[in-house]
Amino acid sequence: MPIRTEPVTINLGPQHPSTHGVFRLRVTFDGEIVVDVDPVFGYMHRGTEKLAETRSYVQIVTLTDRLDWVSSMSNNLAYVRAVESLSNIEVPERAKFLRVITAELQRIASHFMATGFLVNDMGAFATPLMYCFRERERILDLFEILCGARITLSYMRPGGVFQDAPKEFWLRLDDLIKEMPGYIDELEGLVTTNEIVLARSKNVGVLTAEQCINGSLSGPMLRASSVNWDIRKSNPYEVYDKLSFDIPLGINGDVFDRYLVRIKEMRESLKIISQCVEMIPEGPIRSEVPYNIRPPDGDTYSSVEAPKGELGFYLVSDQTIAPYRCKIRSPSFMNLSLLREMLIGWKMSDLIVILGSVDFVMGEVDR
């Protein structure tokens, strides 16, 4: 005989490393069942878009690092491509290859964090997460060789990149390309067939393809629901049109598919990096661009396939050294738009796992 209970509304959070007190859920429970969800954003709002309107086009690069601090290289790339589109700046071929190499390294590093924290949310306290941190550290070592930084990188510039890669970078990158597939296999051996993971992720937090499209979701969240959309294929930029790679897709659009798509994407990123290493030409790494860029009157929107989805910058120029308007289309914000649909009907323990499967960073939500 079911026990009659009164709905209870509680403030839940922070319960995920990405939230750390700057995001909470106002959740209404009937017993343990979620009956309503009200996500509360805004605690971390730093006014990045307005700050960009008071800085020169080159200075803004440092602001993009702080959006998704797990994916600084991708943030840099999305922004500088918008500036180049607005200003008709040509980029040397070698710089394009360096950008793709670093963007795909960043994708692998980001997906490691998404996977490690997801499994941590399921209750595996240390081992898988530490394995993910261990491999991410190798990528951060490469970034440090490349530009002297590990997190807030500011490596890319309008017209190219900050500096060329030294010899040590290529040697360490070659080792990573050879060894990383084995480490991904090791991680999958711990997670993919684990019966606890399967019980807590299969058919949990399902989103249909129609829901994802109507909600403007992108990235692994969209592709896990079997929607074949990736900007690197649909609207190729840099040198992606010269490279051969596949777009992994899920079937059910559940927590497990989101995890598995990210694992498969890491393998595809290694394929992309290997091709770039073989094909990269010699030559300059940056066009001659004045420090104070003054684009002609006009506007532009440019987007890239960041690790979490479509990251785009809309810029408006009034011929001054700073954009008249800057607007950021961040994947973390858009991917949270269907959080309510994913959570209602599940229990509190499922809520934690579903939230972890979204893979978001509040820096680009409260931009």
Side-chain angles (χ1 to χ4, degrees), residues 16 20 22 55 61 85 100 105 123 172 187 194-195 197 216 304 309:
H16 185 272
H20 54 75
V22 294
R55 284 160 169 75
V61 172
S85 172
V100 171
L105 286 172
R172 298 275 288 271
L187 181 62
N194 184 287
E195 61 184 82
V197 171
S216 296
V304 303

Side-chain angles (χ1 to χ4, degrees), residues 93-109:
E93 198 73 2
R94 183 174 179 83
K96 291 182 180 179
F97 276 95
L98 283 169
R99 286 178 173 186
V100 171
I101 289 171
T102 52
E104 294 305 319
L105 286 172
Q106 189 72 86
R107 191 182 313 277
I108 297 171

Side-chain angles (χ1 to χ4, degrees), residues 179-199:
E179 297 167 6
M180 188 61 75
Y183 292 125
I184 298 174
D185 291 340
E186 182 182 39
L187 181 62
E188 273 214 86
L190 284 172
V191 178
T192 304
T193 57
N194 184 287
E195 61 184 82
I196 298 174
V197 171
L198 293 174

Side-chain angles (χ1 to χ4, degrees), residues 82-119:
V83 176
E84 289 157 3
S85 172
L86 194 63
S87 309
N88 299 313
I89 296 172
E90 293 293 328
V91 180
E93 198 73 2
R94 183 174 179 83
K96 291 182 180 179
F97 276 95
L98 283 169
R99 286 178 173 186
V100 171
I101 289 171
T102 52
E104 294 305 319
L105 286 172
Q106 189 72 86
R107 191 182 313 277
I108 297 171
S110 177
H111 285 352
F112 267 127
M113 290 296 90
T115 302
F117 286 130
L118 173 62
V119 181

Side-chain angles (χ1 to χ4, degrees), residues 25 131 166 193 202 237 267 311 331:
L25 287 171
Y131 280 20
T193 57
K202 280 281 191 178
Y237 53 94
R267 299 187 190 278
L311 172 62

